[in-house]
Amino acid sequence: MNRTHEWNELAAQLCVDSIRASTAAGSGHPTSSMSAAHLAAVLFADHLRFDVDDPKNLGNDRFVLSKGHASPLLYSALKAIGAISDEQLLSFRKLGSPLQGHPAPVEGMPWVDVATGSLGQGLPIGLGMGLAMRLDDLPGRVWVLIGDSEIVEGSVWEAMANASFHGVRNLIGILDMNRLGQRGPTMLQWDGPRYAERARAFGWRAIEVDGHDVAAIDAAYREAEDGSGPTLIVARTVKGHGVSFLANAEGWHGKALDEQQAKQAIEELGGERHITITPPKPEHIERPAQRRVAFALPTYDDDVATRKAFGESLAALADLEDVVVLDGEVANSTHTEDFQKVAPERFFEMYIGEQGMVGAAVGLQALGKMPFAATFGAFLTRAYDFVRMAAISRATLRLCGSHAGVSIGEDGPSQMALEDFAMMRAVHGSAVLYPADGNATAHLVGEMLKWRGISYMRTTREKTRILYRPEEEFPVGGSKTLRSSAEDRATIVGAGVTVFEALKAADSLAEDGIWVRVIDAYSVKPIDGRTLREALAATGLVVAVEDHWIEGGLGDAVLEALADDGQEFTGRVVKLGVTEMPGSGTPQELRDWAGISAAKIADSIRRALKPA
Amino acid sequence: MNRTHEWNELAAQLCVDSIRASTAAGSGHPTSSMSAAHLAAVLFADHLRFDVDDPKNLGNDRFVLSKGHASPLLYSALKAIGAISDEQLLSFRKLGSPLQGHPAPVEGMPWVDVATGSLGQGLPIGLGMGLAMRLDDLPGRVWVLIGDSEIVEGSVWEAMANASFHGVRNLIGILDMNRLGQRGPTMLQWDGPRYAERARAFGWRAIEVDGHDVAAIDAAYREAEDGSGPTLIVARTVKGHGVSFLANAEGWHGKALDEQQAKQAIEELGGERHITITPPKPEHIERPAQRRVAFALPTYDDDVATRKAFGESLAALADLEDVVVLDGEVANSTHTEDFQKVAPERFFEMYIGEQGMVGAAVGLQALGKMPFAATFGAFLTRAYDFVRMAAISRATLRLCGSHAGVSIGEDGPSQMALEDFAMMRAVHGSAVLYPADGNATAHLVGEMLKWRGISYMRTTREKTRILYRPEEEFPVGGSKTLRSSAEDRATIVGAGVTVFEALKAADSLAEDGIWVRVIDAYSVKPIDGRTLREALAATGLVVAVEDHWIEGGLGDAVLEALADDGQEFTGRVVKLGVTEMPGSGTPQELRDWAGISAAKIADSIRRALKPA
């Protein structure tokens, strides 16, 4: 009885504070916060095992606000548990405040593990956290607060399917079924039984509850947290609950109340309160120091596909116990199966659901794992929003895309990654790598292991010959100059498969007495600007060749480096890349068709050097 | 009885031809074709109403091979119905053949409406076709052959949810439940009841059937095609069915048989056949000539947000009866609601499921509609794979992304499109547009209406002031020079919001006697290279300013144009864009923080012009 009163008082405070914060900011989502206030009050007061002074304690439960626009609710809860002050609460959405419009794990916000705000991402991330907990035999639970608009996102259903398949026992989704989306009623409105039926069909337990009845919520949480399987709590709620002019009213999504409205609303809610609570105390669990393990990356002296070298390199890292690998049901193509063979318990088959794969990787790294995730490069486009958000999460993710470019040949354009460089260059803080041979691949996998942020490696389907000795270093941001002389009249910059075409072009030009420099720009981002600028200065003509659309890839990276932030630029640059839609053919036929074969590169240089 | 024999004979032929085609190619997916041979035989012989001589007949049913890797099956069926010859069948996967590794609607392949091969896209596209048929009151049905690996893709469930919600009656999914994915068993293997349960929970009728029992298949199709609602046929099948060493065998995915294996397999299947069939005759329905309608795009003489001008422009197009609009539950943000108000029957609320939205748009345009689809620019990243595939489908799609850049302000980075130019530039044949004011927006919506291929417009959240008279033209590929003099010592190139910052910077520099040219590059792709090159030649310094990551956007497009395919380049180029992860703040605070405000642009130019 008393407890009921306390929960309700706390819920009222969360509503009041959500209104105060958003009114002070002049924007935000108070009504989306209010629908879930009782759900959050009972959770933070009595179920979320969480040490506010040690948010990274491995014994903590995790809370993911998938409906990130309800950030005022989260920040109000953080105030109630003593994480932030009332004054900080009122810095919401201001420049420099860690209380951003949507939650992000920025400095000053250690209680948030991952960024949310692009809908439908919380559950895949929560699944990854659940997998991490299971790997380390941690006692925590993962609570994900989900909106009823975002549940249409397919990524939610990828996570639903994978969570039951992988038998994650500690994942609890709380569906805030408040009936109203941004612009009106949601698809299923208050049809709780239908949501429950969908969850059950996907192998979840479902519990329906009145989301403003704190005792019922408490009972539902008790059932959900028994560890018997993934559970969706379908909570019927009212958007703007507790305030006469907001409750279940359309037209209030994402609107802050003005001062007068806020005053009235706060009065209706019983005024300001400053209750503090302490969530249930978790066990204290230290992250074990990672054993220092010597690992030997593979070396190659014979032709090998870089995708195979990638898989073998992963396998070599398996002794590092925090390394985990995810794949989208193509492990025999990406060769992550080589890792699976040696560390099956740390390999996660995410089936054909690339969003769910990357989301789970974000969740795994949030709990200290070192994930690699791989699929065909073309299909990483499916997960671009997750990669973008991972950067906002300050996540360290290692992505690999195999089967790149027209060089995959017969399968045709649907399977050809031709936009992966453009996509991955435009990710904040990313490294974009494209090794040409097996030894470069192995070294660059080692570099990915060290890179903080998002790194992407493109691998090649075909075998390529060995260009580099095993002991060569391949720092991120570097390049290799493979041909160079004082007589060079042009420079060819390639990466991956086009390095071999560049070398053949150089040979063919040499037969005509035309000497050209050849650079392997294995690090497409950051790119080795200094070497490129020296080459332009020395040779006057740079030809960048890529098995990628002409836009946004290696050629653009080369131009950016040559422009060098406004330094004087003199010379000529030709970009060769794919400019027409490919079809099927052999790899060599298609490279020639696309104008990126050795013959076409040589032609291009002969043309450029011809006196006008 | 006879019919059963005929269907089985046809199915055997489809298996034999799938093997022959893939063996001739040396690659391909025979076993994935064989599992669905009986399903296809009964469909093409007796249910798919299809005029092979008039594949664009609006009375036709539509068949979408969502599991595009089973292309040998499709091509074998096309041979059986007399669309292609046996000789053409054997050109499978060869350079220049319209029989690509995965189906695409290329020249010589008019029987294919859309490209497939990236899994999980057929059902969203089929939904769009179903919506188009309903709009035009067409009698056709849409049959989508789905693989049991791809059904994990979230996009499938977005389409499932939307198909039942939108009450599409003529959409039939055929699930080829052959138990084996690329690398082993699928998630649910042969658990047909579970698939059926999921479909039913999503509002579909489900019918379970033995996928090799032609009479049962026929009965299931009869039930499914009664028009009473979307139906999933869950067909239990055997991968590699009919051949001893292939049936239900692992390790055979995506592998062609060698000559000897093919010989044995064809023998087991009873040898080559050359049965021809005629599918059921559809009603002949001509596309009605679109009424010539005069429409007047809106004009503006006062501040307006370009997103609002976009919505009002769409509304002005509503008299064009083929124009349809889709939105991802943010119509009051993108302002597609203005179209919805005047043409509600041609507005499709696809809820928060951007993949499903773009997929449906592809399906709608395949049946002659002119779709516009809109959401926040950031969330179009969710649909990048669908946009990529739409280009392979040779689709004409008009996409709009609102709420771009740090200029959205307080909502923070999860809502900020900062990679949309990079993403959309790297789409084959795309136009990428970013109008600065209301009048430019209206004109560019008119240009999008005419553009063949994929066009993308970025709109701005804030109001912007009017720069252009209503009668100005804005051709794709053009630009506007807003300031120019013989004394110009630098050129600022902006687009959208940065045009206004550029103008203010020019004013501020003019006070110091520094004259600069200002160019509005409203067409980011194709970009107006000639004007940019003239500006560089005249002023020696170009500063490109964009509210976008520094990679892949306007700055890269400017550099590409200036490099001009190897012409001599002399001058200096500075790119200003977003280089650090933004947080919340006001739009102006964030532009200044990012270094793309008027003050920062002016600083940059002053620094660049300072004698060294």
Side-chain angles (χ1 to χ4, degrees), chain A residues 93 102 117 119 153-154 158 182-183 332-333 349 354-355 382 385 411 560 566 569 572-573 575 584, chain B residues 93 101-102 119 153-154 158 182-183 332-333 349 354-355 382 385 411 415 560 566 569 572 575:
Chain A
R93 287 175 165 250
H102 294 74
L119 293 170
E153 282 288 5
E158 293 175 18
Q182 169 174 324
R183 57 171 298 283
N332 53 343
S333 288
E349 175 57 80
E354 296 77 11
Q355 299 187 73
R382 205 66 163 252
D385 195 26
D411 272 332
E560 173 175 68
F569 179 118
R572 293 191 290 162
V573 183
K575 298 203 301 178
S584 293
Chain B
R93 288 177 164 247
H102 294 74
L119 294 170
E153 281 287 5
E158 294 176 17
Q182 169 174 326
R183 57 171 298 282
N332 54 341
S333 289
E349 175 58 80
E354 296 76 11
Q355 299 187 73
R382 203 68 162 251
D385 195 27
D411 272 333
Q415 318 293 300
E560 174 176 67
F569 179 117
R572 295 192 289 163
K575 296 203 304 178

Side-chain angles (χ1 to χ4, degrees), chain A residues 27 29 93-96 100-102 116-121 149-150 152-155 157-158 161-162 164-165 181-187 194 197-198 200-203 329-333 340 347 349-355 378-379 381-382 384-386 388-389 391-392 394 410-411 413-416 419 422-423 425-426 428 525 549-552 556 559-560 563 565-575 579-585 589-590, chain B residues 27 29 93-96 100-102 116-121 149-150 152-155 157-158 161-162 164-165 181-187 194 197-198 200-203 329-333 340 347 349-355 376 378-379 381-382 384-386 388-389 391-392 394 410-411 413-416 419 422-423 425-426 428 525 549-552 556 559-560 563 565-575 579-585 589-590:
Chain A
S27 67
H29 298 74
R93 287 175 165 250
K94 297 210 164 62
L95 188 71
Q100 296 191 356
H102 294 74
T116 50
S118 179
L119 293 170
Q121 302 209 4
S149 276
E150 66 173 323
V152 174
E153 282 288 5
S155 53
W157 299 96
E158 293 175 18
N162 266 310
S164 57
F165 177 80
Q182 169 174 324
R183 57 171 298 283
T186 58
M187 191 188 276
R194 176 58 63 102
E197 185 188 356
R198 292 187 184 181
R200 289 183 190 118
F202 274 73
E329 216 199 304
V330 288
N332 53 343
S333 288
Q340 183 184 17
F347 175 86
E349 175 57 80
M350 302 305 288
Y351 293 93
I352 309 233
E354 296 77 11
Q355 299 187 73
F379 305 143
T381 55
R382 205 66 163 252
Y384 194 25
D385 195 26
F386 278 75
R388 176 183 82 86
M389 288 297 297
I392 305 177
R394 279 70 177 169
E410 293 81 356
D411 272 332
S414 65
Q415 319 293 299
M416 295 172 177
E419 54 291 292
M423 170 172 82
R425 282 180 70 227
H428 179 59
K525 178 188 172 189
W549 292 123
I550 195 83
E551 297 92 358
D556 280 5
L559 270 170
E560 173 175 68
D565 198 22
Q567 297 306 304
E568 193 70 33
F569 179 118
T570 304
R572 293 191 290 162
V573 183
V574 173
K575 298 203 301 178
T579 58
E580 296 297 329
M581 183 59 74
S584 293
E589 282 173 345
L590 287 171
Chain B
S27 67
H29 298 74
R93 288 177 164 247
K94 299 215 162 62
L95 188 71
Q100 296 191 356
H102 294 74
T116 49
S118 178
L119 294 170
Q121 301 210 5
S149 276
E150 64 172 325
V152 175
E153 281 287 5
S155 54
W157 299 97
E158 294 176 17
N162 266 310
S164 57
F165 177 80
Q182 169 174 326
R183 57 171 298 282
T186 58
M187 190 188 278
R194 177 56 64 100
E197 186 190 355
R198 291 187 183 181
R200 288 182 191 120
F202 274 73
E329 216 201 303
V330 289
N332 54 341
S333 289
Q340 183 183 17
F347 175 85
E349 175 58 80
M350 302 305 289
Y351 293 93
I352 310 238
E354 296 76 11
Q355 299 187 73
F376 283 27
F379 305 142
T381 55
R382 203 68 162 251
Y384 194 24
D385 195 27
F386 278 76
R388 177 183 81 85
M389 288 296 298
I392 304 176
R394 280 69 177 170
E410 292 81 357
D411 272 333
S414 65
Q415 318 293 300
M416 294 171 177
E419 54 290 293
M423 170 172 82
R425 282 180 69 229
H428 179 61
K525 178 187 172 190
W549 293 124
I550 197 83
E551 297 92 359
D556 281 4
L559 271 170
E560 174 176 67
D565 200 22
Q567 296 306 301
E568 192 71 30
F569 179 117
T570 303
R572 295 192 289 163
V573 182
V574 174
K575 296 203 304 178
T579 57
E580 296 297 329
M581 183 59 75
S584 293
E589 281 174 346
L590 287 172

Side-chain angles (χ1 to χ4, degrees), chain B residues 261-405:
Chain B
Q261 291 164 335
K263 187 161 173 283
Q264 183 189 337
I266 292 168
E267 269 174 30
E268 289 191 28
L269 288 160
E272 279 188 40
R273 297 160 181 81
H274 297 281
I275 304 163
T276 57
I277 55 166
T278 303
K281 182 97 182 153
E283 201 177 326
H284 180 78
I285 302 177
E286 291 276 340
R287 179 175 307 285
Q290 174 134 355
R291 282 185 298 120
R292 285 207 164 266
V293 183
F295 57 86
L297 288 161
T299 62
Y300 297 94
D301 53 16
D302 204 357
D303 296 5
V304 64
T306 56
R307 60 183 170 130
K308 180 64 179 163
F310 170 74
E312 292 175 348
S313 299
L314 290 192
L317 299 181
D319 284 344
L320 292 171
E321 56 200 10
D322 281 340
V323 171
V324 297
V325 175
L326 304 91
D327 199 289
E329 216 201 303
V330 289
N332 54 341
S333 289
T334 60
H335 285 287
T336 60
E337 65 177 9
D338 291 326
F339 180 90
Q340 183 183 17
K341 280 172 196 153
V342 295
E345 73 290 355
R346 283 183 280 128
F347 175 85
F348 298 104
E349 175 58 80
M350 302 305 289
Y351 293 93
I352 310 238
E354 296 76 11
Q355 299 187 73
M357 177 179 77
V358 175
V362 171
L364 280 154
Q365 65 85 43
L367 289 187
K369 299 299 169 191
M370 303 169 76
F372 286 80
T375 183
F376 283 27
F379 305 142
L380 283 172
T381 55
R382 203 68 162 251
Y384 194 24
D385 195 27
F386 278 76
V387 176
R388 177 183 81 85
M389 288 296 298
I392 304 176
S393 283
R394 280 69 177 170
T396 290
L397 277 193
R398 300 156 194 90
L399 302 172
C400 176
S402 67
H403 291 72

Side-chain angles (χ1 to χ4, degrees), chain A residues 408-548:
Chain A
I408 70 160
E410 293 81 356
D411 272 332
S414 65
Q415 319 293 299
M416 295 172 177
L418 284 165
E419 54 291 292
D420 54 334
F421 291 159
M423 170 172 82
M424 294 297 183
R425 282 180 70 227
V427 169
H428 179 59
S430 64
V432 178
L433 308 170
Y434 188 17
D437 82 351
N439 290 321
T441 304
H443 277 278
L444 287 170
V445 168
E447 294 294 318
M448 291 170 84
L449 199 69
K450 293 185 281 181
W451 185 260
R452 296 275 303 218
I454 292 163
S455 53
Y456 169 66
M457 176 181 283
R458 179 197 249 207
T459 61
T460 300
R461 181 169 172 275
E462 303 166 274
K463 285 187 185 183
T464 52
R465 71 182 172 81
I466 296 303
L467 284 178
Y468 300 109
R469 287 167 298 117
E471 58 275 21
E472 291 234 28
E473 296 293 327
F474 289 82
V476 174
S479 68
K480 297 287 176 188
T481 300
L482 294 168
R483 299 282 169 85
S484 180
S485 81
E487 312 296 313
D488 292 342
R489 297 170 60 196
T491 302
I492 313 174
V493 184
V497 291
T498 63
V499 171
F500 300 95
E501 301 296 331
L503 289 168
K504 279 185 273 181
D507 291 343
S508 139
L509 291 162
E511 288 171 16
D512 298 348
I514 302 170
W515 301 99
V516 301
R517 191 165 297 188
V518 175
I519 296 174
D520 173 2
Y522 63 82
S523 179
V524 175
K525 178 188 172 189
I527 198 160
D528 184 357
R530 186 199 293 204
T531 298
L532 294 172
R533 290 188 291 271
E534 286 171 1
L536 181 68
T539 69
L541 171 65
V542 167
V543 179
V545 193
E546 61 193 315
D547 193 354
H548 184 279

Side-chain angles (χ1 to χ4, degrees), chain A residues 34-68:
Chain A
M34 294 160 77
S35 59
H38 292 95
L39 295 165
V42 178
L43 181 65
F44 278 80
D46 281 274
H47 294 272
L48 185 79
R49 298 191 297 221
F50 190 71
D51 185 345
V52 65
D53 296 322
D54 188 6
K56 302 306 175 200
N57 173 19
L58 281 184
N60 284 347
D61 283 4
R62 300 285 149 180
F63 175 71
V64 180
L65 183 71
S66 187
K67 48 177 291 188

Side-chain angles (χ1 to χ4, degrees), chain A residues 223-301:
Chain A
E223 186 178 348
E225 69 198 359
D226 69 1
S228 70
T231 302
L232 185 71
I233 295 171
V234 180
R236 180 181 168 126
T237 59
V238 173
K239 199 160 175 171
H241 183 268
V243 171
S244 56
F245 59 96
L246 299 178
N248 199 27
E250 295 199 30
W252 271 103
H253 182 95
K255 288 201 182 128
L257 282 64
D258 66 25
E259 292 289 346
Q260 188 51 42
Q261 290 164 336
K263 188 160 172 288
Q264 184 190 335
I266 292 169
E267 270 174 27
E268 288 190 29
L269 288 160
E272 280 187 38
R273 296 160 183 81
H274 296 283
I275 304 163
T276 57
I277 54 166
T278 304
K281 182 94 182 156
E283 201 178 327
H284 180 78
I285 303 176
E286 291 276 341
R287 177 175 309 286
Q290 173 134 357
R291 283 184 299 120
R292 284 205 165 270
V293 183
F295 57 85
L297 289 161
T299 61
Y300 297 94
D301 53 17

